[in-house]
Amino acid sequence: MILIMFGAPGVGKGSQAKILSEALRIPHISTGDIFRENVANRTELGRLVKVHMDNGLLVPDEMTIGLIMDRIYNADCKSGFILDGFPRTLSQVEHLGRSLKAEKRSIDTVVNITLDDAKIIGRLTGRRVCPSCNLVYHLAYNKPHNVGRCNKCSSNLVQRVDDTESTIVRRLQVYHAQTKPVLSYCRDRYVVVDVVSEDDIDDTTRNIFRSLGLAAIGTSDEGSQYMRLSNGCA
Ligand code: AMP
């Protein structure tokens, strides 16, 4: 299954992609996470992308497309993958479609998560992330068990440099100008499901699973939420 998590920054694409990735056992590929990892490891790519990211602008296509094309041809993507934060431009979605077609594959579903810009600003200013395992929290809606600490690895949570109000406003402008046209492009070619981003993450998850024809069934041995396809595929 090839899924695209689509939506403005702050709608919860990453959190939902992680849950789906675990349930469907296919990789979650986040361009933002890949770029941030490169910035943290001070790689050449990290040095080049940092200025764009810090200013809420898109990283140029020539640094983004090749990276994702290489990643999706890895063996672990054979049964599918979930893209989060890609495609964000028409050139990216066209390139992705062409590459998949050459392999006789296609995007199965685009999950479009929606939320008002005003609510997004509130969400992003309250967002905190774990710099070690990338888990995402919110000061009001998704609090960690211990204040300021990651539930999974106990690292100190941080605020992303691009989660300040002025940068968020720029990121939303970029989303409406450059990324939103990708949605119309996808509506003409692929299955797009629209899901409202609820304040309670679990409600959004339930709605996404329902839209995809999946059903939540219980808890895994590791204690994490585990879900199974209603058609018995996972
Ligand atoms: P995200 O974590 O998805 O919000 O991405 C953080 C930042 O990484 C974005 O604001 C962009 O600067 C950059 N970025 C992530 N994905 C892309 C992409 N597909 N195209 C261009 N820039 C991207």
Side-chain angles (χ1 to χ4, degrees):
M1 193 182 226
I2 298 178
L3 295 178
I4 291 181
M5 304 306 285
F6 194 88
V11 297
K13 300 186 293 295
S15 302
Q16 298 298 336
K18 281 190 186 79
I19 295 168
L20 278 166
S21 162
E22 192 179 323
L24 299 172
R25 297 177 190 161
I26 51 177
H28 163 210
I29 302 170
S30 154
T31 34
D33 285 350
I34 296 172
F35 288 146
R36 275 184 291 278
E37 212 176 292
N38 276 273
V39 171
N41 293 333
R42 297 172 188 274
T43 65
E44 179 61 9
L45 176 69
R47 193 183 63 75
L48 293 169
V49 300
K50 189 175 184 319
V51 61
H52 303 285
M53 296 177 77
D54 287 355
N55 288 302
L57 301 172
L58 293 186
V59 170
D61 282 341
E62 53 273 26
M63 290 181 213
T64 310
I65 294 175
L67 189 83
I68 289 301
M69 294 310 127
D70 287 349
R71 178 66 188 86
I72 65 177
Y73 289 124
N74 276 7
D76 66 338
C77 290
K78 247 189 167 157
S79 342
F81 51 86
I82 302 167
L83 288 175
D84 156 23
F86 184 98
R88 262 174 151 109
T89 63
L90 283 173
S91 170
Q92 291 179 12
V93 71
E94 283 165 4
H95 206 101
L96 176 66
R98 273 199 302 275
S99 299
L100 290 173
K101 198 171 176 191
E103 298 258 300
K104 298 194 167 41
R105 305 175 85 187
S106 180
I107 295 162
D108 289 293
T109 308
V110 176
V111 179
N112 175 41
I113 310 181
T114 60
L115 188 66
D116 290 350
D117 284 5
K119 278 200 163 186
I120 286 177
I121 294 172
R123 288 264 189 99
L124 288 178
T125 47
R127 179 160 77 173
R128 296 295 180 271
V129 295
C130 173
S132 304
C133 59
N134 294 326
L135 281 184
V136 179
Y137 299 87
H138 191 278
L139 296 179
Y141 306 120
N142 182 25
K143 297 180 189 173
H145 301 320
N146 297 311
V147 178
R149 293 294 182 105
C150 176
N151 293 347
K152 195 172 168 190
C153 69
S154 297
S155 297
N156 284 324
L157 302 180
V158 296
Q159 184 171 27
R160 278 173 43 172
V161 276
D162 57 350
D163 276 349
T164 58
E165 193 158 341
S166 58
T167 311
I168 293 166
V169 169
R170 171 106 34 83
R171 287 161 66 202
L172 284 171
Q173 286 165 349
V174 166
Y175 170 75
H176 288 293
Q178 292 177 262
T179 304
K180 202 95 187 274
V182 173
L183 187 61
S184 317
Y185 179 95
C186 287
R187 285 197 197 281
D188 291 340
R189 290 163 181 83
Y190 308 114
V191 175
V192 178
V193 295
D194 299 294
V195 178
V196 175
S197 177
E198 307 287 351
D199 285 342
D200 184 331
I201 286 185
D202 293 343
D203 289 341
T204 313
T205 304
R206 264 189 291 279
N207 292 338
I208 290 176
F209 271 65
R210 203 172 299 128
S211 314
L212 293 174
L214 312 174
I217 59 152
T219 305
S220 72
D221 294 345
E222 296 83 36
S224 54
Q225 201 175 20
Y226 178 77
M227 311 207 186
R228 179 174 286 172
L229 281 169
S230 52
N231 64 10
C233 294

